[in-house]
Amino acid sequence: MSSSYTVQLTESKGSSAWKPSAILNTADNGATITTGANEAENLRQIQKAGRQLDNLGLKQVDLLGENWSLERQWAFHKGFMDTRSTNQVNWANHDAEALARLQQLADVSNWTRELINLPPNAIYPESLAQRVIEKLSAVAGDAINATIIKGDELLEQGWIGIHSVGRASQKDPVMLVLDYNPSGDASAPTAAALVGKGITFDSGGYSIKSSEGMLAMKCDMGGAATVAGAMALAIQAGLQKRVQLILCCAENLIDGSAYKLGDILTYKNGLTVEIVNTDAEGRLVLADGLLKAGEIGAELIIDAATLTGAAQVAVGNEYNALFSVDDELATQSLQFAAEHNELLWRLPLQNWHKKNCPSAFADTANSRPQKGGGAGGASNAAGFLLNFAPRDGQGWLHFDIAAAYHNQANAMYAAGATAHGIRTIAQHLLTI
């Protein structure tokens, strides 16, 4: 067998030895993938073929032929890449710009996936912040300035959500504020702020998860990794506007100092929040991040979080869910997602969703005391965040990233993180 295993695209069905329905035909030294008239379906089938070749034990392939567009090559890469990102795809021979874009995508996607897949003994709030600083400094050099606020400093500065969620852990909770300012002008306006949920492990707190439900909770910092990856991708693509990254990082654990059901938190904007579910912690830390974005004065604010199981129930594992009260901005986001072949679906959010988690003892509760937050749980969580979004939610997008992580391998992805969503968010930064 040749040391080089090639993969080519064809529009013909190939040898009669294969069933007419076969998309992937394999031989000793190479494989062919059959394409059709529907390009969206072609991309799905190419990604599935990549997954099948990884399952066969291949670790390196060469893409050959003229039919490999950038999007087709990227679809194959998503399917072929194994959980630990050890497989290698040698791109088809195209122009230098396309090859550079593909390599940037691969590098940032693999970094994002690896960060999410790391075990919780390796990733805790401060180590997550440090890894993000190292990556973005490597990409942007002196244009990066980072500030870490941790432990009781959070409480002193009023970041009550992050501190409350993370105070029971031996690892200090952290807010990372990373400023990318390519102009070097300290007075330059911040064009955008990215806010990420960085719960490096989520036990559920006193609303404790089952063992099965807790096993994958290293992925609960997927929002932080996704916005960090999007920022790195945009910088590599030539981003020239000032953007700040705000990561809200904590371990949601249990001891005698942990926050409890019935506690009432008072946020910097004066809003009081009754805790009715300690497993609805992501929105508590994101509230601090949104308030910080408001202090910065960013025109565009995007947050990303593995926030609710309700979003996953609504859109499945293939789509991310989008929430916004800014219709023009939401439409733009759906367009960007379609252009980059990242499945995204808008779910309902209205101003009245802010009141959908009522409390008799505070301005609002952090959820409803029902399984999954009750009916419309994902919209109610987004409505909670809307209480903290500047300008009544104009210029704000909330991504509930249901497609960011798969507990088990499937026909499209290896087990673990997917990095789904980084291209859409990066495109927002590149068009501000």
Side-chain angles (χ1 to χ4, degrees):
M1 180 176 176
S2 169
S3 61
S4 175
Y5 196 86
T6 63
V7 182
Q8 302 184 65
L9 300 177
T10 180
E11 295 181 1
S12 65
K13 289 296 182 182
S15 168
S16 59
W18 294 88
K19 293 179 180 179
S21 59
I23 300 298
L24 176 68
N25 299 340
T26 60
D28 284 347
N29 63 347
T32 58
I33 303 171
T34 303
T35 60
N38 186 319
E39 187 60 13
E41 185 60 21
N42 286 338
L43 295 177
R44 282 183 54 82
Q45 297 296 350
I46 289 169
Q47 185 170 340
K48 285 183 178 180
R51 186 90 299 278
Q52 292 175 48
L53 290 173
D54 173 62
N55 287 333
L56 289 175
L58 287 167
K59 63 179 182 180
Q60 179 175 330
V61 298
D62 297 336
L63 305 184
L64 295 184
E66 298 300 319
N67 297 329
W68 285 104
S69 66
L70 183 150
E71 293 299 329
R72 288 179 172 188
Q73 293 189 74
W74 185 241
F76 181 88
H77 180 279
K78 289 190 293 184
F80 183 63
M81 200 50 51
D82 59 323
T83 297
R84 298 184 182 180
S85 299
T86 59
N87 289 350
Q88 181 178 338
V89 177
N90 297 320
W91 310 113
N93 187 22
H94 286 294
D95 63 271
E97 181 180 354
L99 290 174
R101 285 180 62 197
L102 281 166
Q103 197 54 52
Q104 288 171 356
L105 268 173
D107 290 345
V108 173
S109 175
N110 287 346
W111 175 79
T112 303
R113 293 172 62 248
E114 289 164 6
L115 192 60
I116 298 171
N117 287 338
L118 283 169
N121 61 322
I123 284 291
Y124 47 91
E126 194 166 3
S127 71
L128 171 58
Q130 291 293 350
R131 285 175 183 265
V132 169
I133 292 169
E134 289 170 8
K135 177 63 174 179
L136 287 166
S137 295
V139 171
D142 293 340
I144 292 292
N145 181 59
T147 301
I148 291 178
I149 309 165
K150 69 176 185 176
D152 288 343
E153 293 177 294
L154 291 162
L155 199 58
E156 293 165 7
Q157 297 188 30
W159 305 121
I160 186 70
I162 301 172
H163 184 271
S164 296
V165 171
R167 71 190 185 207
S169 172
Q170 293 182 346
K171 305 292 188 182
D172 284 335
V174 162
M175 176 187 279
L176 170 66
V177 182
L178 189 147
D179 186 1
Y180 169 69
N181 188 1
S183 71
D185 179 3
S187 64
T190 298
L194 302 180
V195 181
K197 174 186 172 184
I199 302 297
T200 55
F201 187 76
D202 181 18
S203 72
Y206 280 112
S207 305
I208 194 167
K209 295 177 181 289
S210 66
S211 179
E212 181 183 359
M214 204 186 299
L215 178 60
M217 283 300 102
K218 63 183 182 182
C219 80
D220 217 15
M221 39 65 70
T226 296
V227 290
M231 189 169 178
L233 193 61
I235 292 170
Q236 287 185 329
L239 176 65
Q240 292 302 310
K241 297 291 183 68
R242 186 178 188 179
V243 175
Q244 299 202 43
L245 178 71
I246 304 163
L247 301 188
C248 308
C249 310
E251 286 186 326
N252 186 21
L253 299 181
I254 306 169
D255 76 357
S257 68
Y259 79 122
K260 305 172 292 297
L261 285 84
D263 284 356
I264 293 179
L265 309 185
T266 302
Y267 279 83
K268 290 186 78 170
N269 64 350
L271 197 77
T272 57
V273 176
E274 181 188 8
I275 305 303
V276 301
N277 184 349
T278 61
D279 197 22
E281 85 297 329
R283 65 201 73 180
L284 297 174
V285 303
L286 285 178
D288 279 341
L290 292 174
L291 290 173
K292 179 63 176 178
E295 290 182 357
I296 290 169
E299 296 178 11
L300 171 67
I301 299 172
I302 298 174
D303 79 67
T306 50
L307 201 65
T308 67
Q312 193 173 52
V313 170
V315 301
N317 288 321
E318 296 80 18
Y319 282 78
N320 285 338
L322 175 69
F323 298 85
S324 184
V325 291
D326 188 327
D327 291 338
E328 183 177 350
L329 186 59
T331 299
Q332 185 183 49
S333 194
L334 293 169
Q335 178 185 336
F336 290 158
E339 290 171 358
H340 292 286
N341 297 294
E342 291 187 327
L343 297 175
L344 181 66
W345 198 263
R346 188 180 183 187
L347 291 180
L349 180 62
Q350 300 291 336
N351 281 313
W352 48 261
H353 279 104
K354 292 192 292 186
K355 305 298 183 183
N356 259 23
C357 296
S359 167
F361 304 100
D363 296 322
T364 184
N366 72 323
S367 185
R368 290 190 171 203
Q370 300 169 346
K371 183 177 176 61
S379 293
N380 294 339
F384 175 88
L385 294 177
L386 184 56
N387 286 291
F388 301 90
R391 302 181 299 275
D392 295 322
Q394 291 303 300
W396 168 61
L397 294 170
H398 164 54
F399 287 81
D400 197 333
I401 50 175
Y405 188 90
H406 297 159
N407 290 341
Q408 298 177 334
N410 57 36
M412 304 295 286
Y413 287 100
T418 66
H420 188 89
I422 62 171
R423 298 180 73 189
T424 300
I425 296 172
Q427 189 60 46
H428 273 288
L429 301 183
L430 292 169
T431 53
I432 52 179

